[in-house]
Amino acid sequence: MKRFFCTCGQEIFFENTHCNRCGSLLGFDPESLELHAIEALPDSRARTISGKTYRRCAHHQHDMQCNWLMADDESQIQCISCRMTRVIPDQNLLRNVRRWSVLESSKKRMLHGVLSLGLPVQQRNGQPLEFRFLEDKWSNPEVQDEQVLSGHLNGVITLNAAEADSSYREATREAMNEPYRTLLGHFRHEMGHFYWDRLIANSPSHAAFRKLFGDETTDYQAALQHYYQHGPRPDWQEFFISAYASAHPLEDWAETWAHYLLMQETLQTAVSFDMITHPENETDFQEWLSEWSQLVVVLNALNRSIGNADAYPFVISKPVQRKLHLIHQLIHSNNR
């Protein structure tokens, strides 16, 4: 993500609601992708230093302190991100107030990433993308669902609200022998399924997808059952970005898509902080990949220096490079 600065010159960050130096209110405009110093006006409206007027999200008064803005003439009371969320965990439970805030924070960072790439956040029929944050009996015995699994279906993304708990994610990561598991990664993964529907299904790119990822009509449930019973194929690191990607072509796509977004945002952040130079040609995949390869050496070295595990525990094989290249081409062709 790029860096933001208040009008007073202080560096501010994506989630900030106030400037720590001058105390200015802050609001994020998802159209310009800018974080503005704003002046609060009546009726949840706000004005920037330049004089442009916005509406503030109704949830700026909620514990989550949403800082996203809307056009002043919008009839909605929630920002584009908050109104995508259609189901939330029971807010009468204190832990769920925190969970909802954590989920929305990661969702907004993910949305910033796809919006900055010029990707649509509507379904093919124009209906908005939807999110459902559900609980199961593991974390709340009062609910009906025995188990909630994260997933995507027809433009609706479901996440288990417990994924907002670091203890739950770490326990699940260890149980599933995963080197990496984050809430942001979950959002990116499920968006991969959403963009398969938008960019691959019934499109000229379908043949290229099948050549690299395989036949997505392979029995999905049978493939997942085999994966969970027998584990990944022994040579998975030669062909896939993660063990789970080897379960089924659609999971391979979603895992690779999520990884591309991880790489893209990390590179953008590194450029913003002058850790690396801006690529001369952003559409050149090999230049983009070369910058990434150099950056992860530094990231891992820094983590080892402070006694932590590698920040980037992945290997990008030649087959994975080809899959990432297809995603790179699709995204940049979508922006033309």
Side-chain angles (χ1 to χ4, degrees):
M1 184 176 290
K2 68 180 183 180
R3 301 173 76 179
F4 300 105
F5 294 90
C6 181
T7 50
C8 72
Q10 174 73 11
E11 182 161 15
I12 50 179
F13 299 93
F14 182 61
E15 294 85 3
N16 287 167
T17 57
H18 293 78
C19 171
N20 289 333
R21 176 187 287 174
C22 69
S24 293
L25 282 173
L26 302 174
F28 177 75
D29 175 15
E31 289 193 8
S32 66
L33 302 177
E34 293 293 341
L35 187 60
H36 298 285
I38 58 174
E39 172 194 358
L41 300 174
D43 301 323
S44 292
R45 297 167 71 228
R47 184 167 52 225
T48 66
I49 289 292
S50 62
K52 185 173 181 179
T53 305
Y54 292 92
R55 289 202 169 274
R56 302 174 72 188
C57 178
H59 291 142
H60 77 272
Q61 296 177 318
H62 186 272
D63 284 350
M64 76 171 68
Q65 296 183 299
C66 177
N67 67 348
W68 281 35
L69 303 171
M70 303 172 283
D72 188 36
D73 58 359
E74 276 206 52
S75 59
Q76 301 282 352
I77 64 170
Q78 298 181 68
C79 69
I80 186 175
S81 175
C82 287
R83 64 178 178 258
M84 287 182 183
T85 303
R86 298 304 178 89
V87 182
I88 61 174
D90 183 0
Q91 294 295 286
N92 290 315
L93 301 176
L94 185 59
R95 66 171 179 268
N96 285 337
V97 176
R98 183 196 60 79
R99 283 174 171 175
W100 186 25
S101 296
V102 172
L103 287 160
E104 290 294 341
S105 179
S106 286
K107 185 185 73 171
K108 285 181 168 69
R109 182 169 285 270
M110 176 277 295
L111 286 173
H112 175 278
V114 298
L115 290 171
S116 67
L117 289 170
L119 293 166
V121 289
Q122 298 84 27
Q123 302 176 55
R124 286 182 185 272
N125 60 8
Q127 293 298 310
L129 178 64
E130 295 183 17
F131 293 85
R132 304 191 310 161
F133 303 142
L134 305 179
E135 289 185 279
D136 57 25
K137 288 187 178 296
W138 180 88
S139 64
N140 185 357
E142 302 300 318
V143 300
Q144 293 183 348
D145 292 321
E146 289 290 339
Q147 185 178 25
V148 171
L149 299 176
S150 298
H152 166 265
L153 181 65
N154 299 328
V156 178
I157 289 175
T158 300
L159 261 71
N160 189 324
E163 291 287 352
D165 300 340
S166 57
S167 58
Y168 174 89
R169 286 198 313 277
E170 182 60 19
T172 306
R173 186 192 69 79
E174 290 192 358
M176 300 185 72
N177 196 29
E178 297 173 339
Y180 173 91
R181 186 182 183 94
T182 68
L183 184 54
L184 180 55
H186 277 308
F187 278 107
R188 288 168 172 164
H189 175 98
E190 299 307 334
M191 288 297 285
H193 289 299
F194 170 74
Y195 284 115
W196 192 90
D197 287 349
R198 283 299 317 252
L199 303 178
I200 299 294
N202 303 313
S203 79
S205 300
H206 197 180
F209 164 84
R210 283 197 169 179
K211 182 178 179 181
L212 293 174
F213 292 88
D215 183 1
E216 79 285 354
T217 63
T218 302
D219 190 310
Y220 182 78
Q221 293 302 329
L224 288 191
Q225 184 176 4
H226 182 274
Y227 174 81
Y228 287 121
Q229 286 183 351
H230 304 285
R233 47 191 274 187
D235 61 348
W236 68 264
Q237 286 184 308
E238 296 181 33
F239 301 98
F240 304 95
I241 193 61
S242 69
Y244 185 58
S246 69
H248 188 273
L250 290 177
E251 295 305 331
D252 188 12
W253 164 267
E255 286 285 274
T256 310
W257 176 275
H259 208 85
Y260 182 90
L261 294 187
L262 178 157
M263 296 165 72
Q264 177 66 27
E265 181 164 342
T266 307
L267 280 168
Q268 185 184 50
T269 303
V271 168
S272 294
F273 280 90
D274 296 321
M275 291 181 64
I276 60 174
T277 57
H278 194 285
E280 292 184 9
N281 183 0
E282 289 187 353
T283 62
D284 187 322
F285 176 75
Q286 290 304 324
E287 183 178 351
W288 182 85
L289 185 62
S290 176
E291 292 286 350
W292 175 252
S293 299
Q294 295 175 57
L295 177 62
V296 295
V297 171
V298 177
L299 289 176
N300 286 342
L302 287 171
N303 258 33
R304 292 170 191 173
S305 295
I306 59 176
N308 285 340
D310 284 353
Y312 188 75
F314 300 95
V315 175
I316 301 181
S317 64
K318 289 294 183 182
V320 172
Q321 287 184 31
R322 290 191 284 271
K323 294 171 185 177
L324 288 167
H325 191 190
L326 175 62
I327 292 172
H328 188 82
Q329 290 176 312
L330 285 169
I331 288 175
H332 285 282
S333 64
N334 185 73
N335 290 335
R336 289 173 187 166

